[in-house]
Amino acid sequence: MEKLLEVNNVSKHYGDYKALNDVSITVEKGSIFGLLGPNGAGKTTLIRIINQITMPDSGKVILDGEPLQPHHIQQIGYLPEERGLYKTMKVGEQALYLAQLKGLSKQEAKARLKYWFDRLEIGDWWDKKIQELSKGMAQKIQFVVTVLHTPKLLIFDEPFSGFDPINANLIKDEILKLRDDGATVIFSTHRMESVEEMCDHIALIHKSNKILDGSLIDIKREYRSNTFEIGLVTPDHVATTAALKEKFEIFPASFKSINNELQYKVKLPDSSSSNDFVSFLTAQGQLTHFVEVVPSASDIFIETIQKN
Amino acid sequence: MNHLSLIITREYLTKVRNKSFIIMTFLSPLLIVGIFGLVAYLSNLNNDTVRNISVLDESGLFAEDFESTSHTKYKLLFNVPLEDAKAEAEKNEIYGLLYIPKSENLESLSEGITFYSQDSPSLSMMKDINNMLESKVNILKLKDAGIDSQLINDLRIKVAANQVTFKGEETSKMGSGLKLVFGGAAGYLLFMFIIIYGNMIMRSVIEEKTSRVIEVIISSVKPRVLLLGKIIGTTLAGITQFLIWVILSFALLTAISAIFGVDVAGGAPSQQVIQQGVDGGAEQIVQDVIREINNLPIANLVIMFVLFFVGGYLLYASLYAAVGAAVDSETDTQQFMMPILMPLMLAVYVGFFTVIDNPHGTVSQVFSYIPFTSPVVMLMRIPFGVPLWQQLISVAILFLTFFGTVWFAAKIYRVGILMYGKKPTYKELLKWLRY
């Protein structure tokens, strides 16, 4: 895959405080990259460095093969976490202003705004002031303004905050569509279910250091623990539990089922295969449920942070 | 359009379209002129009341001297006992009763003169009456001594020393007044401009912070460009407002003075004109004023006014912007406003007390070099004649400092606009400079 963005060994200090320590990430073209981390980990600092709002103390950022330069600002669309619009300015005027700051001509900006406003069915807000709109409505405008200049790289910091579930879904679909149209997305959020759903690749930053990086699937593979959730119909629950306990580590499990069965999560030793385990189980009784427990993004997040 | 002009346009338009800005622009001159008109009208009204004064002149010496005017009507009483006259005056609600006793000599007569009234009489009216009586008594006294008072008047010679500079330029007392008016107006104008529009810049920076739009903007524009655009845009709006004020005030003042027949446009200088008019005649005065204006270093004044105005205003404007960036809300600005307002107030006080007293004294000189006070103080000194090299040094110091403060303000601004929450301390501000 082609790389769109490379951040190489970037460090940043604020006084004595180290906000980023030698962080490197690579974002592939046309992918959605999840930038994760607890509050205050340094995500925003990294995003601001990519946006050239802050300059790094050391390290390099390369966008589409070129070291970052002022004109690259026009190829990036940034939706900051701390966002807002001029409250007393009218929607249309404001959108035009922000679009022109991103390098669009007035006519071009007008045409594109019309397309987006029609698409999101917000055309009649044009002459309203931002302070007359609800928070969710203002967020929609903000989203449009962020993507209007068709940037190569889109950076969304908590894009769904302030949206109701319907609108959050709408925005999610728009982001996916933008990705399909060729944009690359960096996505920072605490909502792990969105990460699960959308991200191809994640990086985890903790206390100014990158502690995890890779494609979501690879990471999940790496984090799987050879654990299976099972349902087993046996005549003697106590005996079977004892037999399981003897050979494996077992944890209680609970899932909906029509059978009156024994439910457990079972961790196999790293060396043993699932086939042997299935043979063992079928010898004990009738196997009704067998699923590998795959760690969720949230599990991975918590586990990695705790390890460090 | 490039970024800077986009920002300037937006700043200008939002300021100019703002309702309170429009109201202030058109209401302020109306208010000022309205109050002025009201005062003029009220004092006219005050003067319209006629004071009736009874005069009981037992000496008979002053009978011919009381001439009624439109505001004061004298009524001479004859052969009435003092007690009756007093009772009569009180009963008829007459403003006052002037009693002049009969006496052997003028001294005891003077001491015996009494003014009876309900309340304390008007100061100006008492002064008029006292002056009138005094001059009459003096004339009578001279006559007693066998001296013709007319002769004394004829022999009196007036002296008003001609004021000439060593270069041979004529100056006059009126010239000094005129210089004060020019210098004072320039200095005060700058002071007002800094306070009003510096604050406006600060508020507009805070607004971007509180509405959280700032990060969106600076992901498109360099903070320095945004800061510059803000200052220029607000300043242009300020100049627009100022021009409207000047035009409106002038129009309104003309209208008011036409209606009330008061010479309002003249203001302070008119008094001088009147005073000198007694001595020299009105034509002479006009010529003097024109000559004095011609004597002022006009070109120097204008060029330096522009330089000091621009330098001084931008110096303070950038500081105001830095304060706006450092805080989250307007209520937090107090602590940081002090160091801005102190030198500004100092400049105006030094200007209006020290410079007027001695334009070229040590204090005036020192403060006209310190960049935070020099714009106001130097502007006030220039009409009195400041050597060009001093002016140039002062301008140079001002602009060097200006670049320093802009660098400082831009740093604070760049860091501050992204800082939310806790109000920073001065120590933290210094730290920001190293970020």
Side-chain angles (χ1 to χ4, degrees):
Chain A
M1 276 296 256
E2 218 179 327
K3 297 168 194 162
L4 180 76
L5 178 80
E6 276 179 90
V7 174
N8 293 329
N9 309 97
V10 162
S11 296
K12 176 73 187 174
H13 291 79
Y14 289 116
D16 299 328
Y17 175 70
K18 197 158 208 176
L20 278 182
N21 183 24
D22 201 24
V23 170
S24 304
I25 58 169
T26 304
V27 181
E28 283 166 2
K29 224 171 233 177
S31 71
I32 297 185
F33 187 97
L35 190 60
L36 314 179
N39 296 320
K43 285 172 297 175
T44 304
T45 304
L46 180 58
I47 289 174
R48 282 179 182 165
I49 285 173
I50 297 169
N51 276 297
Q52 303 181 60
I53 292 171
T54 317
M55 295 301 133
D57 295 341
S58 61
K60 254 199 269 176
V61 181
I62 293 165
L63 182 74
D64 219 359
E66 290 173 49
L68 214 51
Q69 281 161 29
H71 72 86
H72 284 137
I73 280 176
Q74 301 186 358
Q75 299 172 14
I76 302 178
Y78 174 37
L79 186 68
E81 184 178 8
E82 292 282 5
R83 54 180 171 259
L85 296 163
Y86 291 106
K87 291 200 166 51
T88 53
M89 236 178 145
K90 284 179 182 162
V91 170
E93 223 170 81
Q94 177 145 226
L96 278 180
Y97 171 64
L98 293 172
Q100 286 181 81
L101 284 184
K102 279 289 186 189
L104 289 182
S105 73
K106 202 169 181 178
Q107 289 77 12
E108 182 65 34
K110 236 179 202 162
R112 292 194 193 185
L113 278 171
K114 194 179 167 341
Y115 165 79
W116 273 100
F117 275 40
D118 286 347
R119 200 178 148 84
L120 298 180
E121 294 167 1
I122 54 177
D124 50 340
W125 296 356
W126 188 270
D127 276 326
K128 284 202 171 141
K129 286 184 178 172
I130 293 292
Q131 58 192 6
E132 299 169 41
L133 303 181
S134 73
K135 194 178 175 199
M137 291 156 101
Q139 294 279 313
K140 266 192 187 174
I141 309 285
Q142 194 116 41
F143 178 81
V144 171
V145 166
T146 309
V147 302
L148 195 70
H149 58 292
T150 51
K152 284 184 199 168
L153 179 62
L154 281 161
I155 302 178
F156 295 111
D157 200 345
E158 291 294 351
F160 303 121
S161 72
F163 281 119
D164 60 44
I166 296 172
N167 278 318
N169 232 356
L170 185 96
I171 294 301
K172 190 191 85 186
D173 291 344
E174 290 299 339
I175 293 175
L176 291 175
K177 185 171 178 301
L178 285 164
R179 193 263 322 261
D180 296 342
D181 291 346
T184 307
V185 179
I186 293 179
F187 180 41
S188 172
T189 184
H190 293 304
R191 293 182 22 157
M192 287 304 153
E193 74 275 14
S194 330
V195 174
E196 200 90 47
E197 252 177 298
M198 296 170 69
C199 292
D200 307 310
H201 203 102
I202 60 166
L204 184 55
I205 294 179
H206 181 48
K207 290 185 181 158
S208 326
N209 289 287
K210 186 182 78 178
I211 54 173
L212 184 68
D213 186 8
S215 85
L216 194 54
I217 293 173
D218 288 346
I219 288 175
K220 285 194 168 186
R221 268 190 204 128
E222 196 182 310
Y223 271 72
R224 76 163 162 210
S225 52
N226 219 6
T227 305
F228 296 86
E229 196 173 58
I230 58 154
L232 199 60
V233 180
T234 60
D236 186 352
H237 280 192
V238 180
T240 314
T241 304
L244 279 168
K245 235 180 195 164
E246 194 184 315
K247 293 193 84 168
F248 312 103
E249 247 181 285
I250 62 171
F251 308 92
S254 165
F255 48 87
K256 282 210 171 100
S257 169
I258 51 167
N259 303 310
N260 176 24
E261 70 220 315
L262 201 56
Q263 300 187 344
Y264 279 118
K265 269 184 198 158
V266 181
K267 187 178 182 316
L268 311 189
D270 290 341
S271 52
S272 64
S273 85
S274 55
N275 276 351
D276 297 342
F277 183 44
V278 170
S279 321
F280 171 80
L281 289 174
T282 44
Q284 299 288 324
Q286 191 193 347
L287 187 60
T288 53
H289 181 95
F290 188 86
V291 180
E292 179 172 7
V293 177
V294 179
S296 68
S298 174
D299 294 336
I300 295 170
F301 183 93
I302 294 168
E303 197 185 326
T304 320
I305 297 294
Q306 277 169 351
K307 255 199 310 210
N308 286 270
Chain B
M1 278 207 276
N2 65 30
H3 286 169
L4 186 62
S5 55
L6 271 171
I7 293 166
I8 293 174
T9 314
R10 193 203 84 87
E11 290 292 329
Y12 181 81
L13 287 180
T14 35
K15 294 276 150 14
V16 172
R17 283 197 213 141
N18 183 289
K19 279 207 189 74
S20 63
F21 184 89
I22 296 174
I23 292 171
M24 277 299 288
T25 307
F26 289 97
L27 213 57
S28 297
L30 272 178
L31 270 178
I32 292 168
V33 173
I35 288 170
F36 205 95
L38 191 69
V39 169
Y41 173 71
L42 286 179
S43 63
N44 264 2
L45 207 65
N46 208 18
N47 287 339
D48 280 350
T49 54
V50 179
R51 297 194 181 104
N52 287 307
I53 292 169
S54 301
V55 180
L56 180 58
D57 178 14
E58 291 180 345
S59 70
L61 292 171
F62 299 93
E64 296 151 22
D65 296 297
F66 289 101
E67 281 172 24
S68 294
T69 66
S70 55
H71 301 311
T72 317
K73 294 248 184 305
Y74 295 106
K75 188 182 160 209
L76 296 176
L77 305 174
F78 299 101
N79 302 322
V80 188
L82 176 60
E83 288 312 312
D84 290 359
K86 269 159 73 178
E88 184 76 3
E90 199 174 351
K91 199 181 85 192
N92 292 344
E93 291 182 357
I94 281 171
Y95 188 80
L97 170 68
L98 181 65
Y99 171 66
I100 304 164
K102 196 172 170 64
S103 182
E104 326 261 295
N105 58 46
L106 289 164
E107 281 81 5
S108 60
L109 178 136
S110 306
E111 281 162 19
I113 295 175
T114 313
F115 189 85
Y116 298 97
S117 65
Q118 196 78 35
D119 308 307
S120 303
S122 146
L123 274 180
S124 60
M125 187 202 70
M126 282 317 291
K127 207 170 140 198
D128 288 348
I129 291 178
N130 284 335
N131 281 343
M132 201 254 309
L133 293 172
E134 195 177 298
S135 63
K136 178 71 178 184
V137 170
N138 279 331
I139 289 170
L140 290 173
K141 187 77 189 169
L142 287 171
K143 212 176 190 174
D144 280 1
I147 301 165
D148 185 357
S149 60
Q150 188 59 41
L151 187 66
I152 289 194
N153 261 349
D154 291 350
L155 292 179
R156 187 171 281 161
I157 290 172
K158 284 218 166 92
V159 175
N162 295 313
Q163 300 178 6
V164 181
T165 65
F166 289 118
K167 284 182 196 149
E169 290 164 348
E170 278 189 54
T171 67
S172 69
K173 211 170 173 211
M174 181 172 54
S176 295
L178 215 62
K179 285 168 184 170
L180 270 183
V181 170
F182 268 78
Y188 199 70
L189 198 69
L190 175 57
F191 171 72
M192 291 299 290
F193 206 86
I194 288 174
I195 297 257
I196 297 176
Y197 301 108
N199 246 302
M200 204 179 265
I201 289 170
M202 187 180 76
R203 259 180 284 129
S204 123
V205 173
I206 293 175
E207 189 216 334
E208 275 175 0
K209 267 191 89 172
T210 48
S211 70
R212 300 288 197 264
V213 75
I214 187 73
E215 200 166 344
V216 176
I217 303 285
I218 60 166
S219 67
S220 314
V221 186
K222 290 251 163 279
R224 219 175 318 118
V225 177
L226 180 61
L227 179 63
L228 193 62
K230 251 180 182 339
I231 291 177
I232 296 175
T234 310
T235 309
L236 289 178
I239 290 171
T240 311
Q241 190 173 47
F242 242 73
L243 280 180
I244 295 177
W245 278 346
V246 168
I247 293 167
L248 265 186
S249 305
F250 191 75
L252 280 169
L253 279 176
T254 316
I256 295 246
S257 56
I259 293 167
F260 290 97
V262 199
D263 179 25
V264 273
S270 69
Q271 197 143 12
Q272 276 178 337
V273 172
I274 289 162
Q275 213 145 36
Q276 296 214 351
V278 178
D279 305 336
E283 254 173 65
Q284 180 63 38
I285 303 308
V286 174
Q287 281 172 12
D288 274 0
V289 169
I290 291 170
R291 195 189 60 218
E292 282 305 329
I293 290 178
N294 283 337
N295 273 354
L296 285 175
I298 294 288
N300 181 346
L301 211 60
V302 170
I303 292 170
M304 284 301 157
F305 178 76
V306 171
L307 283 178
F308 276 107
F309 200 94
V310 169
Y313 171 70
L314 290 180
L315 180 78
Y316 277 101
S318 58
L319 289 179
Y320 269 101
V323 171
V327 300
D328 271 2
S329 72
E330 227 175 315
T331 44
D332 289 343
T333 56
Q334 230 72 330
Q335 174 196 358
F336 299 113
M337 291 305 298
M338 275 297 279
I340 295 183
L341 286 177
M342 287 290 279
L344 209 50
M345 300 297 284
L346 195 66
V348 171
Y349 282 125
V350 167
F352 277 92
F353 291 107
T354 318
V355 172
I356 285 178
D357 191 42
N358 183 0
H360 305 307
T362 316
V363 177
S364 307
Q365 291 219 17
V366 168
F367 278 97
S368 59
Y369 287 123
I370 299 174
F372 292 96
T373 54
S374 68
V376 174
V377 177
M378 193 55 114
L379 276 183
M380 294 188 69
R381 278 187 64 204
I382 288 176
F384 294 95
V386 177
L388 194 62
W389 65 269
Q390 286 190 13
Q391 297 181 27
L392 291 179
I393 288 179
S394 178
V395 168
I397 295 176
L398 177 65
F399 274 85
L400 279 178
T401 319
F402 162 61
F403 289 122
T405 41
V406 165
W407 173 84
F408 167 82
K411 279 262 183 191
I412 297 284
Y413 184 77
R414 211 168 55 91
V415 179
I417 45 180
L418 293 173
M419 294 279 180
Y420 295 109
K422 188 170 139 316
K423 186 171 67 171
T425 60
Y426 280 109
K427 215 174 132 194
E428 280 168 309
L429 286 189
L430 284 180
K431 253 199 203 159
W432 289 4
L433 295 181
R434 290 186 291 125
Y435 279 7

